[in-house]
Amino acid sequence: SDPDVKVQMISAEAPILFSKACEVFITEITQRAWMNAEENKRRTLQRQDVSFAAQRSEMFDFLIDVVPREEFASKKSVVREDGSVVAAHPPAISHQPALSVEPQQQPLSAQAVGFSQQPPPQHQQSPPPQQQPAQPQASGLYDPAFQQYYAQHLVEAAGFPQPAGPTPEQRTAYYQQIERSQMQWFQRQPEMGMPQAHLTSSADNPQLLQMHHDSSSDVKPDTDYEDTAKNLKINKDTRVLIQGFTGKQGTFHASQAIAYGTNVIGGVSPKKAGQTHLDKPVFGSVKDAVSQASPDATAIYVPPPFAADAILEAIENEVGLIVAITEGIPQQDMVKVVQALKTQSKSRLVGPNCPGIIAPDACKIGIMPGHIHKRGKIGIVSRSGTLTYEAVNQTTQAGLGQTLCVGIGGDPFNGTNFIDCLKIFLEDPATEGIVMIGEIGGSAEEQAAEFLIENNLSRAQPKPV
């Protein structure tokens, strides 16, 4: 815990620590290679330009930050089948900033930092490769060139083969394996899965199989989810369900939506099924609401730990538009939601962590203030919530008004992006101009700009954006 002691330890024992660290590193990557053989095979097939540089760098960080000093002394060198012992020798590096020990202070002994006073054993070296990698002039342990050298040198010393890119046959087999895993996952969790009609394997679809064969591993197969963008066109006849109806947030925003004129047909609250709330019926589940009231859209005001299940329940029951207002949904949960979205063609998700969607003077699904909106001719899409209101207010004051306003949210895993909304605006004859508001993080804005260059500027009369 004493900073001075740490400085002395690093300065005095760095050669011993590093020598033993190299032995530990070789042992760790060897053990991980055997334990993660299937995972390594999957990663090799997943990317044609596969590279283990990041993985090796991660293991190097593990060595520096995680492995206790006590374990260094107990680790042994890697012994190959032919009896030779593998050991690595570090290149000369200069640490920045350099650590020095004051003259009046004596460096700590090796025993004081957890090692015996005996110098590191000299191991028999394995036959050197014909061409040794050049040692870079690194400036520190975390210098990229330094890590690259060690990644190559130590892995070659341990006898790992360099991976080659996957063949088309291997890539096709990989996609089929992924699809089988997804189908098995849905079968194990039927309450969260999709109807079986949506779970078709590429082995039964020659066109999809050929697409997997010709495409790279980074390109995902097309689905019908893009066709659900038409569900964003809400109007005064859209029948809206509220999930989390009787909670504080659900009650407040449902009452605001009803006052605005939204056609709210009821809500979901499992513990209060059969009751009425805000003079609207309360259903025990989305399934009951769909069978009894046939909603076109649903707004989700469910707390974060349960919001993903609420979204999946709406997807399973094929509600056309799902607006997830909830903020703070775990990203691990949203990965499952996005996976479910891509396997179906009935439901469109807006959000999560978004203000919602509104067709001025017709339908409000979300938390936006209705009084600043005015029916007009500008389409607005935004990742930011409050800037959405600012754009709405300014277009209203300028007498332009809005055709449709969509807050898509800023979370990394969402259901609707800029391009989905821009397609609607470009195809809508009532929308004469577009306001798009981005936010820090990601490349969604750049992708939207490329889309507009290809699909808007090429029009006879491009719409101003």
Side-chain angles (χ1 to χ4, degrees), residues 379-390:
I380 298 178
V381 56
S382 173
R383 289 176 64 189
S384 170
T386 52
L387 289 181
T388 306
Y389 312 150
E390 181 67 24

Side-chain angles (χ1 to χ4, degrees), residues 26-53:
I26 297 175
T27 304
E28 292 295 336
I29 62 176
T30 304
Q31 293 176 348
R32 291 190 182 195
W34 283 104
M35 294 174 61
N36 301 330
E38 293 298 324
E39 179 67 13
N40 289 341
K41 181 189 299 183
R42 186 188 68 82
R43 293 188 180 184
T44 302
L45 296 177
Q46 185 176 6
R47 294 188 59 86
Q48 186 170 6
D49 56 343
V50 61
S51 172
F52 288 136

Side-chain angles (χ1 to χ4, degrees), residues 11-30:
S11 301
E13 305 299 337
I16 300 177
L17 285 170
F18 209 102
S19 176
K20 293 184 176 294
C22 292
E23 299 178 16
V24 177
F25 186 32
I26 297 175
T27 304
E28 292 295 336
I29 62 176
T30 304

Side-chain angles (χ1 to χ4, degrees), residues 251-320:
T251 298
F252 175 77
H253 293 293
S255 62
Q256 294 290 312
I258 294 172
Y260 190 76
T262 304
N263 184 15
V264 177
I265 51 91
V268 176
S269 183
K271 295 183 179 180
K272 299 182 180 180
Q275 303 180 15
T276 58
H277 184 64
L278 301 178
D279 296 329
K280 303 292 182 180
V282 180
F283 304 98
S285 65
V286 175
K287 182 178 180 180
D288 295 339
V290 170
S291 62
Q292 300 178 34
S294 301
D296 302 311
T298 179
I300 295 179
Y301 299 98
V302 177
F306 316 106
D309 288 340
I311 298 173
L312 290 170
E313 184 182 8
I315 295 173
E316 182 180 0
N317 290 278
E318 300 183 349
V319 179

